[in-house]
Amino acid sequence: MTEDQFQAELFAWAWNAFPHARRHFWAVPNGAWFANKIIAKKMQATGVVAGVWDIHLYWLRTFYIFELKVGANTTSPAQNL
């Protein structure tokens, strides 16, 4: 299973299991768009920052962030706070 597949399954599960929280969690696009220079420039111009963790959850006045990894994947130096 790839990281993208895992994230998709996680979101499908959370969306269905917690319908009352659907607008409280979201993903941040920060990865494959670097392959296309035009999209990369647009994403950077609109505020996408490299190294931001994958999933954000705001629940009960608390903000949580999650970085998903599958297999031997590791965090980038920008993600190691």
Side-chain angles (χ1 to χ4, degrees), residues 18-80:
F18 304 102
H20 57 284
R22 287 181 178 168
R23 300 294 180 225
H24 295 270
F25 60 92
W26 60 90
V28 176
N30 59 356
W33 54 271
F34 282 115
N36 181 320
K37 290 182 181 182
I38 294 171
I39 293 174
K41 292 224 180 264
K42 180 180 177 182
M43 299 295 275
Q44 288 173 334
T46 59
V48 174
V49 177
V52 175
W53 291 12
D54 295 332
I55 297 175
H56 296 174
L57 168 66
Y58 185 73
W59 189 252
L60 300 175
R61 298 185 311 188
T62 303
F63 186 62
Y64 303 90
I65 53 175
F66 304 91
E67 178 62 25
L68 302 178
K69 294 296 174 196
V70 174
N73 286 345
T74 60
T75 56
S76 71
Q79 294 169 319
N80 297 326

Side-chain angles (χ1 to χ4, degrees), residues 8-23:
E9 286 190 22
L10 172 69
F11 263 81
W13 169 78
W15 191 266
N16 294 318
F18 304 102
H20 57 284
R22 287 181 178 168
R23 300 294 180 225

